[in-house]
Amino acid sequence: MAGSGGPQPAAGAEESALSGALSALLAEIARAPDVAGAPLEPGDRVGRFQVLREIGRGGFGVVYEAMDQELGRLVAVKSLHPLDERGEGSAEALRREAEAAARLDHPGLVTLLEAGVAEKGPWLATELLRGETLAARLSRGPLPVGEAVGVALEVARALGHAHSRGVLHCDLKPANVFLTDDGRVKLLDLGLAHLLGRPAGPRGGTPAYTAPERARGEPPDCRADVFALGATLFEALAARPPFPVRDGRSAVLDGGAPVFPPAVPRAVARSIARFLDPDPARRPSCGQEVVEELLALRARLERPRDRRRTLLLAAAGIAVGAVAAAVALYVTHPPGEVARTGSRIVVAVADVENGTRDPELDALGGLLATALEQRPRLTVLGRSRLADLARQAGLAPGPRLAGEAGRAAAHRGGATALLLPVVLRAAGRYTVELRAVAPSSGRVLFELAESGEGLAAVPPMLDRLAERAGRALDDGGPAPAGGAVRLADAVTPSLEAYGHYARAEALADESFEGAQALAEYRRALEVDPGFALAHVGIALLAIWHEAPAEDEEAHLSAAAEHLGHLPQKERRLVLGVSHYLHRDFAGASQILADLARDFPQDKQVQYLAGEALWHEASPGGPAAAAGLFRQALDLDPGYLVAAVHLFQWLGRFGPGDEAVRRAGQAVRLRPGPASEAMLARALAIARQWERAEETARRAAAGVGRDHFEASYALAEVLFAGGRREEAERELRRWTGPGSAAGDRRIALEFLPVLLAAEGRRREAERAWGDLVSVRCGPDCEYYDGVLRVHLALAGGDLAGAGAALRAWVPRNQAAADPLAWLWTFAGEPAAGSARAARLAPGTAAERRHAAAA
């Protein structure tokens, strides 16, 4: 069960345990329907919960406040009345319904924590709510129209989720709608009336809210819940039920019609009358249809205010176009709630709330973010950025980033709006809802919805939602350059392939699991071999040594075949990285630096632009690169690859205390071996050798994927501190064939340098041969020539070093000038000076040559 001590089970195991507990509970009740339901008393224990006090009574039993003894949290425990007698064969039906109830997971439903049968009878444990029921609120008078429709909309959302899972409420009424103190709406006892067989009237349900067909004894379906929702909305507006009840019989059975208060708008009355239609065939078929109707109704209620505002502005002499823009801006972004980056508006996209059983829809938030990125006036915070911001706000991102964590992250990122996507399914028809809320206040800014038949309709629905949301968010800004982007063309038509891709991105970014990320990218390509973004992901893993068996150039070429269809950010990324791979660092820098300016919230883009500048021999290049590495680390202090490069720069030119400060922040936000390895490197830069070694050894004592990173950092610290034999021993742990290919390759790149520095030429050459055997790519020839120069210099063979340089340079002209210092060391100072003359003053290469000279 969730909440037990020790490692937490996967979601599937948790759901299975809960459904099993419910099934066992129902089976026990079915065997002994007259089981005693003695009242619980303070101090009694049921399961892991200790009863504190009674807080309410209802149709199913008594509710108590209780303490979860394992997790130290307050919960609600409901002791159930004895179950009504059921006929033969009901046990299997109860089991099926219990399993369905356990699958419910929606913010509008009360979370069921555990169920069981104690000495004093059956019980359920749920989350504890603070607030009051809608019935208690209506005892003080009706709700305003907008508030009533809003409450009904939240109830309909919860019903839509339950109906999509085959679960009915069967006793929906104001007493089962809870208004929390923090402004949420929760639907109580969903499924329990049918599940536990506790009809409140002679035919089940509460007569004032019971659909006529159910009162006649017909089996209930979703439309009975729709009727009850209509009755509840009517009462929210009138503070009385729609039909009088005498002797347990509702007037709706006699053909009665509801009489609406005069203040209820006609559009609202028409919708309620449809929900309350005596003929179920004329009602909406499920909760999701009610959601769509209430969304349209809310929009219609708001339009008159918008028109009045427009007319007032027009009367002031403002041009029609400016009036429309001003009204749209004011309605969507009230004063004080608009956040911009320059002239761009910042919007965050939360993870999708998937109300279907289709796991391929779990990653729709990423697709929506990609579609929105095509809007030139929007800066989009996707899942990776929100996860980083959540950590910086002291929150764990969790498997689904939405709700309070999403709002806190979006607020920290300066977002105007947090977009909350929801996907639902009913009878093969899919609906995607999009709600925009202000991160600071939670106020709803606007709501949109699109529907279509079948999974293939979902990407086009996202395209339309992105266009509509973009217009609402960016004040009618220009259309994307080059026309509208179709996700099916620009990304992939396969939602299954995109699901694998999204998991790969999260593994590579949030947990540094390169091997697992590679496996997910490959699965994406198995489903859709033409999925260009998956090729890009593998190419970047290969560049970062996380996928050594992959040919990065081949993957980028495969992505380039679809260049014209790629989203504009990814298109420029492919071009920039392709230039980088071909060692055209100037071309790569130009493309990637522009991309970094356009996407300042993308840490990967900032890092890649810095990497290109790092290798470019241009004035101020290293310093500019360090600035981009800093930007990437400002976005995510635990971004290891950017830290490695920035710390290299700080070790040569910058203050060492900056590295220590940044690494300390990484340890706080992303504790683990990888961040500890960052701190060890930083302490070595600051020449705090003892602390550096202590930190590196502590990190290297761990297990898992980050173990190698920590061990490698320890070897670096030992080498820098002059303890080369110990460094070599640490490094050789990873150079054998039993090590992961990526780890072995990185260790083998360091080992020849270490051996050459000790003058062990032949061993260095053998180690280099081992490296070439595991790493074959465009860099092999480049590194081979450089290493041979180093080996010759280490052995005092100046003539051999010069010969190696002369043999190497014709094949590597673009990279030759930065190695001017090697010519000087190799005994050819004139050649070195000639090449150094072409270097920009102040660059790392120019300073190395000056030191060598």
Side-chain angles (χ1 to χ4, degrees):
M1 289 296 298
S4 63
Q8 295 300 306
E14 192 172 308
E15 177 184 290
S16 175
L18 181 53
S19 62
L22 275 171
S23 299
L25 166 68
L26 293 169
E28 179 72 19
I29 296 175
R31 284 195 297 271
D34 57 347
V35 62
L40 295 173
E41 297 178 359
D44 285 350
R45 283 185 63 112
V46 290
R48 66 174 193 262
F49 308 103
Q50 183 172 30
V51 174
L52 300 179
R53 63 188 181 95
E54 179 182 327
I55 55 176
R57 292 175 178 258
F60 297 111
V62 184
V63 184
Y64 303 88
E65 184 178 301
M67 175 63 71
D68 185 332
Q69 296 295 307
E70 290 185 10
L71 299 182
R73 61 181 174 180
L74 293 173
V75 302
V77 167
K78 180 173 292 189
S79 67
L80 302 175
H81 292 319
L83 188 71
D84 287 355
E85 295 283 357
R86 290 185 181 239
E88 291 296 324
S90 65
E92 175 62 19
L94 284 171
R95 185 191 64 78
R96 287 197 304 269
E97 293 174 21
E99 291 175 349
R103 285 197 298 269
L104 298 179
D105 179 18
H106 189 277
L109 302 178
V110 180
T111 302
L112 180 60
L113 303 174
E114 197 167 329
V117 178
E119 181 180 347
K120 292 185 177 182
W123 56 272
L124 300 170
T126 69
E127 65 175 310
L128 181 65
L129 301 177
R130 304 291 188 188
E132 64 180 346
T133 65
L134 177 60
R137 165 63 185 83
L138 295 178
S139 67
R140 303 193 296 275
L143 299 178
V145 173
E147 185 177 344
V149 170
V151 169
L153 177 59
E154 295 308 309
V155 173
R157 290 182 193 276
L159 278 180
H161 172 78
H163 290 170
S164 72
R165 305 278 178 112
V167 178
L168 307 179
H169 193 292
C170 296
D171 196 21
L172 173 57
K173 55 189 175 183
N176 280 331
V177 176
F178 198 87
L179 310 178
T180 69
D181 288 341
D182 59 2
R184 293 173 295 152
V185 178
K186 291 276 191 174
L187 186 52
L188 307 180
D189 289 344
L190 196 147
L192 292 182
H194 198 201
L195 191 63
L196 298 179
R198 294 297 310 169
R203 295 285 186 175
T206 303
Y209 313 94
T210 300
E213 68 273 15
R214 191 171 177 222
R216 292 191 293 266
E218 299 170 17
D221 62 17
C222 299
R223 294 170 297 184
D225 281 347
V226 170
F227 182 95
L229 176 58
T232 299
L233 176 54
F234 181 99
E235 186 164 347
L237 295 167
R240 58 176 172 80
F243 303 103
V245 176
R246 294 186 181 87
D247 299 326
R249 178 184 174 86
S250 170
V252 70
L253 293 171
D254 303 319
V259 178
F260 290 91
V264 176
R266 280 178 293 180
V268 176
R270 280 196 297 270
S271 288
I272 295 176
R274 201 163 84 85
F275 302 160
L276 294 173
D277 197 299
D279 183 355
R282 293 197 291 262
R283 291 180 218 141
S285 64
C286 63
Q288 178 50 34
E289 282 192 25
V290 177
V291 169
E292 294 174 11
E293 182 157 342
L294 291 177
L295 283 172
L297 185 60
R298 172 184 275 182
R300 181 167 183 174
L301 290 172
E302 292 176 347
R303 272 201 296 271
R305 291 199 300 274
D306 298 346
R307 278 200 296 272
R308 285 195 296 272
R309 187 178 296 117
T310 302
L311 290 173
L312 288 171
L313 291 171
I318 301 175
V320 173
V323 170
V327 171
L329 177 62
Y330 189 91
V331 171
T332 311
H333 314 297
E337 291 190 331
V338 177
R340 297 174 182 262
T341 302
S343 61
R344 296 164 67 94
I345 298 171
V346 182
V347 58
V349 181
D351 287 336
V352 69
E353 178 189 314
N354 186 357
T356 76
R357 298 182 187 178
D358 303 317
E360 57 264 50
L361 297 175
D362 288 339
L364 287 194
L367 273 175
L368 179 63
T370 298
L372 285 165
E373 279 181 337
Q374 313 317 308
R375 305 288 301 185
R377 293 185 59 187
L378 296 184
T379 290
V380 181
L381 309 183
R383 194 194 198 282
S384 172
R385 180 70 183 122
L386 284 181
D388 292 336
L389 288 164
R391 276 187 287 268
Q392 292 166 38
L395 301 169
R400 180 172 171 268
L401 190 51
E404 291 305 310
R407 273 184 55 192
H411 181 60
R412 187 179 183 92
T416 295
L418 173 65
L419 300 185
L420 302 167
V422 179
V423 59
L424 302 167
R425 182 188 65 193
R429 186 172 182 83
Y430 290 83
T431 298
V432 180
E433 302 172 6
L434 193 62
R435 182 191 305 186
V437 301
S440 58
S441 63
R443 192 179 68 84
V444 176
L445 302 175
F446 60 84
E447 293 179 305
L448 307 169
E450 291 281 347
S451 296
E453 295 290 337
L455 274 174
V458 173
M461 288 155 53
L462 294 177
D463 288 329
R464 295 192 296 272
L465 283 172
E467 181 182 357
R468 293 171 62 191
R471 287 201 304 267
L473 287 163
D474 73 5
D475 187 21
V485 172
R486 295 181 68 249
L487 287 174
D489 295 334
V491 182
T492 174
S494 169
L495 293 170
E496 180 185 355
Y498 187 81
H500 288 301
Y501 169 79
R503 284 190 287 277
E505 292 281 284
L507 285 165
D509 173 53
E510 294 182 27
S511 54
F512 310 120
E513 294 290 351
Q516 294 181 38
L518 177 61
E520 290 290 345
Y521 283 132
R522 284 174 173 165
R523 291 189 188 103
L525 289 173
E526 288 171 5
V527 177
D528 179 7
F531 190 178
L533 297 188
H535 283 295
V536 174
I538 293 177
L540 291 174
L541 282 181
I543 290 170
W544 293 338
H545 310 291
E546 296 288 344
E550 298 291 336
D551 184 340
E552 54 263 46
E553 191 166 4
H555 281 289
L556 283 175
S557 296
E561 292 178 7
H562 305 275
L563 203 61
H565 293 293
L566 281 175
Q568 55 107 351
K569 181 174 78 173
E570 286 75 12
R571 184 187 316 139
R572 295 157 68 188
L573 185 65
V574 169
L575 290 172
V577 175
S578 296
H579 280 282
Y580 175 87
L581 274 182
H582 291 94
R583 316 203 73 80
D584 176 11
F585 300 124
S589 296
Q590 182 176 354
I591 294 170
L592 294 172
D594 287 343
L595 192 60
R597 281 192 292 271
D598 290 343
F599 293 92
Q601 298 275 356
D602 191 317
K603 65 187 179 189
Q604 183 185 73
V605 167
Q606 303 301 311
Y607 161 72
L608 288 171
E611 175 81 348
L613 277 169
W614 183 261
H615 289 87
E616 183 189 357
S618 63
L628 287 162
F629 297 146
R630 285 187 172 105
Q631 172 70 7
L633 286 167
D634 286 343
L635 295 170
D636 176 10
Y639 195 25
L640 180 63
V641 68
V644 169
H645 285 75
L646 178 61
F647 292 0
Q648 287 178 9
W649 186 86
L650 291 172
R652 296 172 188 168
F653 309 115
D657 60 345
E658 180 186 350
V660 175
R661 176 178 57 79
R662 287 185 177 275
Q665 189 178 12
V667 170
R668 288 192 299 274
L669 293 176
R670 287 201 186 205
S675 56
E676 291 277 2
M678 286 175 59
L679 181 57
R681 289 186 175 101
L683 291 167
I685 289 170
R687 302 191 180 281
Q688 299 181 36
W689 300 112
E690 290 186 7
R691 283 189 61 200
E693 181 181 349
E694 178 188 350
T695 303
R697 289 195 184 280
R698 181 173 63 244
V703 295
R705 170 62 188 90
D706 292 337
H707 186 201
F708 166 75
E709 186 61 48
S711 179
Y712 187 85
L714 175 58
E716 287 183 311
V717 170
L718 292 169
F719 180 77
R723 295 159 63 182
R724 292 174 179 173
E725 289 185 6
E726 294 175 72
E728 180 186 348
R729 283 198 298 271
E730 190 69 27
L731 209 55
R732 285 194 182 276
R733 296 172 55 193
W734 307 95
T735 57
S739 298
D743 300 343
R744 186 182 182 205
R745 169 175 157 180
I746 296 172
L748 283 171
E749 286 184 352
F750 187 1
L751 184 59
V753 175
L754 185 152
L755 294 170
E758 294 182 335
R760 296 156 63 184
R761 178 188 178 99
R762 289 185 179 179
E763 292 178 76
E765 287 181 330
R766 283 198 298 271
W768 183 253
D770 290 340
L771 172 61
V772 172
S773 70
V774 299
R775 186 199 195 288
C776 185
D779 289 338
C780 283
E781 183 182 42
Y782 170 80
Y783 283 116
D784 186 60
V786 174
L787 182 76
R788 292 191 184 282
V789 176
H790 277 284
L791 291 176
L793 289 172
D797 182 4
L798 297 184
L805 268 175
R806 284 190 294 273
W808 174 81
V809 165
R811 300 188 300 273
N812 298 275
Q813 288 289 351
D817 288 347
L819 296 176
W821 65 279
L822 278 177
W823 290 92
T824 300
F825 266 128
E828 300 191 30
S833 296
R835 292 189 177 279
R838 293 194 289 267
L839 297 174
T843 62
E846 190 271 340
R847 292 179 64 170
R848 285 196 200 102
H849 175 264

